[in-house]
């Protein structure tokens, strides 16, 4: 297992979730996330991928929560395709928030069992 492959896993998985291919019920998932981030005016919208949980931010739309469920099932498969095992990740989350300049930021953050932090901004 190569820890260096966590970088593409974390970046690409987050990019896929907030990207233009994640479309459900006639709307892109990122549109719901961005609308919620704007409404919160700087308070982060956080999606916890690991450890896997069924409880998420109660303000997330049903569409977003359904998409999260699908992506949580896909995460181990994507990790395996990159030759890594997610049991070595202690936590992994995606943060979506509005900056002071009214830009939307998407950040992927994870920590592995060796104490390394992975933090990447994802452009949408």
């Amino acid at each position: 297992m190569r820890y260096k492959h966590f970088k593409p896993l974390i970046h690409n998985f987050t990019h896929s979730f907030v990207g233009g291919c994640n479309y459900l019920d006639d709307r892109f998932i990122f549109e719901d996330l961005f609308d919620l981030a704007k409404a919160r005016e700087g308070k982060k919208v956080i999606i916890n991928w690991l450890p896997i949980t069924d409880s998420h931010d109660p303000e997330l739309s049903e569409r977003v929560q359904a998409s999260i469920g699908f992506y949580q099932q896909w995460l181990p498969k994507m990790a395996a395709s990159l030759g890594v095992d997610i049991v070595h990740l202690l936590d992994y989350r995606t943060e979506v928030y509005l900056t002071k300049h009214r830009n939307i930021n998407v950040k992927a953050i994870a920590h592995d069992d060796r104490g390394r932090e992975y933090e990447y901004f994802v452009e949408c």
Side-chain angles (χ1 to χ4, degrees):
M1 210 250 354
R2 294 182 171 231
Y3 282 81
K4 71 179 186 176
H5 292 171
F6 280 134
K7 178 181 178 176
L9 171 68
I10 292 160
H11 181 270
N12 294 342
F13 184 83
T14 300
H15 198 282
S16 176
F17 183 72
V18 297
C21 292
N22 194 0
Y23 190 82
L24 183 64
D25 295 336
D26 300 323
R27 192 159 188 221
F28 293 104
I29 295 301
F30 72 82
E31 292 175 311
D32 286 7
L33 294 171
F34 290 6
D35 288 348
L36 182 54
K38 288 175 185 174
R40 289 186 173 179
E41 297 182 355
K43 184 180 175 204
K44 296 177 180 179
V45 177
I46 298 174
I47 299 166
N48 289 303
W49 300 110
L50 293 174
I52 293 177
T53 179
D54 288 334
S55 62
H56 297 285
D57 186 326
E59 292 186 58
L60 292 174
S61 68
E62 288 183 25
R63 291 174 350 89
V64 172
Q65 291 190 33
S67 182
I68 289 170
F70 171 77
Y71 271 76
Q72 282 179 322
Q73 292 175 7
W74 182 50
L75 179 58
K77 297 171 190 170
M78 184 177 186
S81 74
L82 292 169
V84 296
D85 191 343
I86 61 170
V87 300
H88 296 285
L89 282 178
L90 301 177
D91 61 63
Y92 169 30
R93 71 183 182 273
T94 298
E95 299 178 349
V96 182
Y97 57 95
L98 189 66
T99 66
K100 291 179 183 178
H101 299 290
R102 311 260 330 139
N103 296 322
I104 297 286
N105 276 354
V106 177
K107 189 178 355 178
I109 303 167
H111 297 90
D112 68 25
D113 58 2
R114 298 187 316 176
R116 175 142 192 244
E117 179 178 76
Y118 303 86
E119 183 175 303
Y120 307 104
F121 283 98
V122 178
E123 290 191 33
C124 302

